[in-house]
Amino acid sequence: ADAAFNLAALYQDVDGNMSRAFAFLEQAADAGFWRALLAVADVYDLGIERPRNCTAAVEALKKLVETYGGVANDLREGVAMYQQGEIKQAQQVFCELAEQGVEVAQSNCAWLFFKGVGLDPPVNRTLRLAAVRRMLERAAQQGGADAMLRLADMDWYGHGRPRNVTSAVERYRVAASRRSQQASYAMGYLYQFGIGVERNLTLARRMYLKSGTHEHFTRFPSYIALAVLRAQAAVESVLPALTTLQIAGFRLVPEQVGNHLHTLDGHEMGAFSLYIIALSAVLGLAILITCGSIIGCIEGSSTAPRRTNQRVPDVAQWLDGNVDVR
């Protein structure tokens, strides 16, 4: 965060490039650096090199207060209570702050309700999930990316309501626009297989790249997803040529199979290309194992000691002189 803020200052003071400076200011503000939060609020409040936006300025100042003001001390106190096993006291602190409009407390309170921690049994699951959704919606209205991500997960998995893929996709999109790396990864998956959106491998790659930045736990899964995505693109670029390829007058792919491939939608084509990749990987592994076994057998037979028909004499007979050793 310090480095990003210093880079922003250099771009602003030395180069006079406010666009590049503001990008680094936002990066430092996302990390919670107080000077960056204050600078972002000033930029939006005064309209420096961009349209004036009082809402964005208030959000930056609110995050500053929640991170470094008296509210931050209350939040730390609630976290300490939770870590010490004082669940009900921590829940009381978070819920009181949530009613005051603290976005982080609203998300924490929603998480406790979702897990059913600190609640006296019996608890109606429907009412509990309704309370979770209410808290998350209030946090999402304040620009909380994590809250919007959790709402998308609830719509995707059908927690508290019937599963709604359309709503989940829209919430994932909003959370990704708020720089949630988990939401960016989810959008990459949706674009890769065409679930709820039109299939687009270019956008899928872009989302995976966004989710793999910085030291985030989605980094390595994003690398794997990008590798699979490249393999899918290669397979799907070769499939049309294979369907028309003929060797000595015979079609390599039956005509019925080729016609069926042309009727597949984006989601089915993504699943089919993934199946081809998995099958190719299994066949390649089997070939490698077979070749390794053959090479091992050849090397073993070439280095084995040669057997002779000469019989080794018995040591006792040899000592008695009954064996003629020549």
Side-chain angles (χ1 to χ4, degrees):
D2 293 350
F5 182 79
N6 291 334
L7 277 173
L10 288 174
Y11 275 116
Q12 181 181 2
D13 298 337
V14 179
D15 293 343
N17 190 339
M18 192 58 196
S19 298
R20 294 295 302 274
F22 189 72
F24 284 108
L25 274 181
E26 285 189 319
Q27 182 177 336
D30 288 340
F33 188 52
W34 70 271
R35 295 179 65 187
L37 288 168
L38 189 59
V40 168
D42 287 340
V43 168
Y44 279 122
D45 183 36
L46 302 175
I48 302 174
E49 297 292 334
R50 61 192 59 249
R52 193 163 182 257
N53 190 335
C54 295
T55 303
V58 170
E59 288 178 357
L61 290 174
K62 183 176 182 297
K63 185 175 181 180
L64 175 62
V65 172
E66 292 179 357
T67 307
Y68 293 97
V71 174
N73 295 330
D74 294 337
L75 286 171
R76 294 190 188 96
E77 182 182 354
V79 172
M81 289 178 179
Y82 178 81
Q83 292 175 344
Q84 294 171 6
E86 301 174 1
I87 308 299
K88 292 185 71 66
Q89 292 84 343
Q91 185 189 49
Q92 183 177 356
V93 171
F94 288 139
C95 290
E96 287 178 357
L97 292 174
E99 292 301 323
Q100 297 174 22
V102 180
E103 183 262 324
V104 177
Q106 290 169 346
S107 297
N108 290 346
C109 190
W111 185 84
L112 290 174
F113 276 131
F114 183 79
K115 294 295 184 180
V117 178
L119 301 178
D120 296 326
V123 180
N124 186 288
R125 185 175 184 274
T126 303
L127 294 178
R128 179 166 57 84
L129 292 178
V132 171
R133 186 176 290 274
R134 175 175 170 271
M135 285 292 180
L136 290 176
E137 287 175 348
R138 292 173 60 184
Q141 288 174 359
Q142 300 187 66
D146 187 67
M148 186 63 72
L149 173 67
R150 302 309 167 200
L151 283 171
D153 289 339
M154 291 185 73
D155 288 335
W156 178 265
Y157 294 107
H159 292 306
R161 293 182 183 178
R163 188 168 185 255
N164 190 336
V165 175
T166 304
S167 177
V169 170
E170 186 58 33
R171 292 184 190 275
Y172 280 132
R173 198 193 309 274
V174 174
S177 68
R178 296 176 181 177
R179 293 184 289 277
S180 168
Q181 292 181 272
Q182 287 178 261
S184 298
Y185 184 89
M187 286 303 302
Y189 175 83
L190 296 175
Y191 278 122
Q192 182 179 2
F193 293 99
I195 303 174
V197 293
E198 184 177 354
R199 190 165 184 258
N200 191 321
L201 298 186
T202 302
L203 288 178
R205 180 177 179 275
R206 185 181 305 171
M207 288 297 174
Y208 283 139
L209 288 174
K210 285 180 63 178
S211 68
T213 57
H214 309 302
E215 295 297 331
H216 197 266
F217 67 87
T218 59
R219 186 177 183 181
F220 294 106
S222 297
Y223 292 161
I224 297 173
L226 283 169
V228 174
L229 190 66
R230 293 189 188 97
Q232 275 187 302
V235 169
E236 293 175 20
S237 64
V238 172
L239 280 177
L242 290 178
T243 56
T244 58
L245 183 63
Q246 294 185 4
I247 299 177
F250 294 98
R251 294 176 64 93
L252 184 64
V253 178
E255 185 175 0
Q256 294 180 348
V257 176
N259 294 334
H260 178 67
L261 289 177
H262 292 300
T263 62
L264 297 179
D265 59 17
H267 178 62
E268 292 172 339
M269 178 57 73
F272 179 76
S273 61
L274 192 63
Y275 170 77
I276 295 296
I277 294 169
L279 183 62
S280 302
V282 171
L283 289 176
L285 183 62
I287 291 172
L288 286 176
I289 293 174
T290 303
C291 292
S293 300
I294 293 174
I295 293 173
C297 292
I298 294 174
E299 291 180 350
S301 60
S302 62
T303 58
R306 296 181 179 180
R307 296 182 179 180
T308 61
N309 294 327
Q310 183 178 4
R311 181 176 176 272
V312 178
D314 184 75
V315 176
Q317 295 181 2
W318 179 74
L319 291 174
D320 294 337
N322 296 326
V323 177
D324 184 14
V325 179
R326 296 180 182 180

